[in-house]
Amino acid sequence: MNTKLYEIKPGNKFKLSQFESDDKSLINGDKDNAREELEALRVRLESLQELLYAESKHKLLIVLQAMDTAGKDSTIRMVFDGVNPQGVKVASFKAPTAEELAHDFLWRIHAKTPARGEIVIFNRSHYEDVLITRVNGWIDADTCKARYQQINEFEKYLVENGTTILKFYLHISKDEQKQRLIERRDTPSKQWKFNPSDLASRAQWGDYMDAYTDAISATSTRHAPWFIVPANSKLQRNLVISNVICDTLEGLKMEYPKAAEGLEKIVVA
Amino acid sequence: MNTKLYEIKPGNKFKLSQFESDDKSLINGDKDNAREELEALRVRLESLQELLYAESKHKLLIVLQAMDTAGKDSTIRMVFDGVNPQGVKVASFKAPTAEELAHDFLWRIHAKTPARGEIVIFNRSHYEDVLITRVNGWIDADTCKARYQQINEFEKYLVENGTTILKFYLHISKDEQKQRLIERRDTPSKQWKFNPSDLASRAQWGDYMDAYTDAISATSTRHAPWFIVPANSKLQRNLVISNVICDTLEGLKMEYPKAAEGLEKIVVA
């Protein structure tokens, strides 16, 4: 897969609304084949994660952002199915606590960044601080712009210190969200996920698309790129994300640590 | 499976050396069948974890303790394969840092205990503070005894506040460890795991068995039981642990949260 297709180039002018949320090009009409491909990627990711952990040199940070129901939870479950839970951590960022609000907005974020050998997935992230806050008018335009810059510098610092950052926007259409909300409302085992506040965000759809467009334009950098992931189809979504992660990890040219000098002569009594 | 077979009853006098590390009774000579059974348990655990997360009422803490190479890492990888990484966290306790040492021994432990809806696996735990410390003479007998009591009270407090605690000792024989260390030494992709300090612990095998016997005797309580898991066979080990976890979660009688009043009338515009 050419992962560059989904990557936003730094400084590129783009509009989220021009992106195809319904793209199924990787499935290419053959779902069984696509599922096999996904399974092969899962196996590849499993061994790449083991190598990352063994080498204990690189850190991988994956940021997931999306509108409600776009599939952040399901991506985590499906893409990381079978990957050793010991090497993968998920940090979910909800509405900040009083203590978190009393600090700068990157304080709680920094605390959850990956250590050497770790993969950390952010389920929502510091980007909420330029999205929900902006759409609701809790911050002004100057603060928002300053935060883009602060985010870029923070991410650059992380990269300089051994972190690889991949940021994914899961792109669903407003119609697809409607179907998913209705399904949630009407399926007993899913009703607990239905949050009436999701309807409030849905009513602000256009504002959110603008806020995402601006935030992604301002913060897709060479060191921490954004990918726009077509997400109406879960299979397409998982294929794109799995491919980007596997290709990126492979690009790190990791190696198992060399055996200590004289290891073969050690006697196990 | 009758999980009680592997549970240490409170106040029971027992010796670890009397336990059969080579027990393969659950495999019963049919490995293919045992693997199918394990896969069925994995699927069961996956849906129980989802329910735990949805209900968001109970907390599950799993403690893994064992001699080196007994399979703590591999248990985590194999038993929790396919369980949503979002609901499962692993806390690995290594040699304490200066900051941790400046606090009481349960300080760093408490910080990692599960929240509502979460499963947390302790890869090593507060039990190291009555094991390695005791075997090496870093604490005296009185301190060790006081700690058993403090651990029991701490765990009781956690249970009173909604935590379910399961503690597993992965029981391998000294011979089996020898084979595994040799394999580690001689297999290129495993050599990075070979730590010469493992040989020092191996030389103290008898002292460790005594320390484990005493610690488990003193801290296997009704609210936080210990299970002695035969671990020479990985399949037997995984079957015992998976069964105990699934049976315990089922015993919690969890339910999906009821839909909010009037949910069916909400219109998704």
Side-chain angles (χ1 to χ4, degrees):
Chain A
M1 189 193 101
N2 180 5
T3 58
K4 293 282 168 200
L5 285 175
Y6 302 94
E7 185 177 338
I8 301 298
K9 297 279 166 314
N12 217 349
K13 287 284 162 229
F14 88 108
K15 265 195 153 325
L16 208 41
S17 51
Q18 294 161 346
F19 272 77
E20 183 54 84
S21 52
D22 210 35
D23 171 18
K24 297 190 183 70
S25 56
L26 294 178
I27 302 169
N28 210 5
D30 188 345
K31 278 197 176 182
D32 287 341
N33 186 54
R35 281 197 198 97
E36 272 172 39
E37 209 182 309
L38 191 63
E39 173 59 19
L41 282 161
R42 205 191 58 68
V43 172
R44 213 172 122 201
L45 180 57
E46 201 173 342
S47 68
L48 282 164
Q49 181 276 328
E50 201 184 320
L51 182 52
L52 182 86
Y53 185 79
E55 193 190 43
S56 193
K57 179 176 160 192
H58 298 282
K59 308 150 175 144
L60 178 60
L61 174 59
I62 295 168
V63 173
L64 298 181
Q65 282 287 157
M67 297 297 284
D68 299 311
T69 77
K72 297 184 297 296
D73 293 348
S74 128
T75 298
I76 295 170
R77 200 170 57 242
M78 296 168 86
V79 170
F80 290 90
D81 180 33
V83 178
N84 186 354
Q86 188 143 232
V88 180
K89 291 181 179 166
V90 181
S92 296
F93 294 99
K94 317 225 159 157
T97 64
E99 189 189 19
E100 288 168 350
L101 279 174
H103 289 83
D104 64 274
F105 77 101
L106 294 172
W107 179 75
R108 65 174 185 161
I109 304 296
H110 203 160
K112 298 291 185 179
T113 51
R116 279 198 300 271
E118 276 184 359
I119 298 176
V120 172
I121 307 163
F122 280 2
N123 185 343
R124 303 188 186 272
S125 66
H126 43 306
Y127 284 96
E128 292 296 331
D129 295 294
V130 291
L131 291 164
I132 188 171
T133 47
R134 178 183 149 188
V135 167
N136 290 292
W138 303 334
I139 58 169
D140 61 25
D142 283 352
T143 305
C144 190
K145 226 170 156 181
R147 285 187 176 179
Y148 293 153
Q149 181 68 17
Q150 288 159 356
I151 287 173
N152 284 341
E153 284 164 8
F154 170 67
E155 291 179 352
K156 183 162 166 283
Y157 162 82
L158 293 180
V159 171
E160 286 168 356
N161 286 276
T163 307
T164 299
I165 303 179
L166 297 170
K167 302 181 289 196
F168 297 100
Y169 172 72
L170 313 185
H171 188 37
I172 57 166
S173 63
K174 200 177 173 190
D175 271 355
E176 178 68 23
Q177 191 192 50
K178 184 175 181 173
Q179 298 314 315
R180 294 187 185 185
L181 284 171
I182 290 172
E183 199 200 337
R184 220 172 245 196
R185 185 193 63 192
D186 299 340
T187 310
S189 72
K190 291 186 176 178
Q191 286 170 339
W192 62 279
K193 283 188 184 175
F194 193 97
N195 187 341
S197 77
D198 293 354
L199 294 178
S201 314
R202 178 169 171 78
Q204 299 167 307
W205 188 275
D207 293 342
Y208 269 104
M209 290 306 105
D210 291 346
Y212 267 111
T213 299
D214 291 350
I216 292 170
S217 296
T219 62
S220 198
T221 55
R222 216 173 48 85
H223 55 271
W226 274 103
F227 296 84
I228 310 296
V229 182
N232 280 6
S233 152
K234 291 177 190 176
L235 205 43
Q236 171 81 11
R237 176 197 75 197
N238 295 342
L239 283 168
V240 170
I241 294 175
S242 300
N243 268 297
V244 171
I245 295 174
C246 286
D247 286 1
T248 303
L249 286 174
E250 251 151 34
L252 296 177
K253 311 281 178 220
M254 300 180 287
E255 285 179 7
Y256 278 97
K258 297 235 184 320
E261 192 89 38
L263 177 68
E264 71 285 359
K265 287 181 208 138
I266 290 179
V267 176
V268 179
Chain B
M1 188 193 102
N2 180 7
T3 58
K4 293 283 167 198
L5 284 175
Y6 302 94
E7 185 177 338
I8 301 300
K9 298 280 168 309
N12 217 351
K13 287 283 162 230
F14 86 109
K15 262 193 155 327
L16 207 42
S17 52
Q18 293 161 347
F19 272 76
E20 182 54 85
S21 53
D22 211 32
D23 172 18
K24 295 188 186 71
S25 56
L26 295 178
I27 302 168
N28 208 5
D30 188 344
K31 277 198 176 182
D32 286 342
N33 185 56
R35 281 197 198 95
E36 272 173 41
E37 208 181 312
L38 190 62
E39 174 57 18
L41 284 161
R42 202 192 60 67
V43 172
R44 213 172 122 199
L45 180 57
E46 201 173 343
S47 67
L48 283 164
Q49 182 276 328
E50 203 184 319
L51 183 52
L52 181 86
Y53 185 79
E55 194 189 44
S56 194
K57 180 177 160 189
H58 298 281
K59 308 152 176 145
L60 178 60
L61 174 60
I62 294 168
V63 173
L64 297 181
Q65 283 288 156
M67 298 297 284
D68 299 312
T69 77
K72 295 185 298 295
D73 293 348
S74 129
T75 297
I76 296 171
R77 200 169 58 242
M78 296 169 87
V79 171
F80 290 89
D81 180 31
V83 177
N84 187 354
Q86 187 142 233
V88 180
K89 291 181 178 166
V90 181
S92 296
F93 294 100
K94 317 225 159 157
T97 65
E99 189 189 18
E100 288 167 351
L101 279 173
H103 289 84
D104 64 274
F105 77 102
L106 294 172
W107 179 76
R108 65 174 187 162
I109 304 296
H110 203 161
K112 298 290 187 183
T113 51
R116 278 197 301 272
E118 276 184 359
I119 299 176
V120 172
I121 307 163
F122 280 0
N123 185 342
R124 303 188 186 273
S125 66
H126 43 306
Y127 285 95
E128 292 297 331
D129 295 293
V130 290
L131 292 164
I132 188 172
T133 47
R134 179 182 149 187
V135 168
N136 290 292
W138 302 334
I139 58 169
D140 62 24
D142 283 350
T143 304
C144 191
K145 225 170 159 182
R147 285 188 176 179
Y148 294 153
Q149 180 69 15
Q150 290 160 355
I151 287 173
N152 284 341
E153 283 163 10
F154 170 67
E155 291 179 351
K156 183 162 166 283
Y157 163 82
L158 293 180
V159 172
E160 285 168 354
N161 285 275
T163 307
T164 299
I165 303 178
L166 297 171
K167 301 180 291 195
F168 297 100
Y169 172 71
L170 313 185
H171 189 38
I172 57 165
S173 63
K174 199 176 175 189
D175 271 355
E176 178 67 24
Q177 191 192 49
K178 183 174 183 175
Q179 297 315 314
R180 294 187 184 187
L181 283 171
I182 289 171
E183 199 200 338
R184 219 171 245 197
R185 184 192 64 191
D186 298 340
T187 311
S189 71
K190 291 185 176 178
Q191 284 169 341
W192 62 278
K193 284 187 183 175
F194 193 97
N195 187 341
S197 78
D198 294 353
L199 294 179
S201 314
R202 179 170 169 78
Q204 298 167 307
W205 187 275
D207 292 341
Y208 268 105
M209 290 306 105
D210 291 345
Y212 266 111
T213 298
D214 291 349
I216 291 171
S217 297
T219 62
S220 198
T221 56
R222 214 173 50 84
H223 55 271
W226 274 104
F227 296 84
I228 309 297
V229 181
N232 279 7
S233 152
K234 291 176 190 176
L235 206 43
Q236 171 81 12
R237 176 197 76 197
N238 294 342
L239 283 169
V240 170
I241 294 176
S242 299
N243 268 298
V244 171
I245 295 174
C246 285
D247 286 0
T248 302
L249 285 174
E250 253 152 31
L252 296 177
K253 312 282 179 216
M254 300 180 287
E255 286 179 7
Y256 277 98
K258 298 236 182 319
E261 193 87 35
L263 177 68
E264 71 286 357
K265 287 181 206 137
I266 289 178
V267 176
V268 180

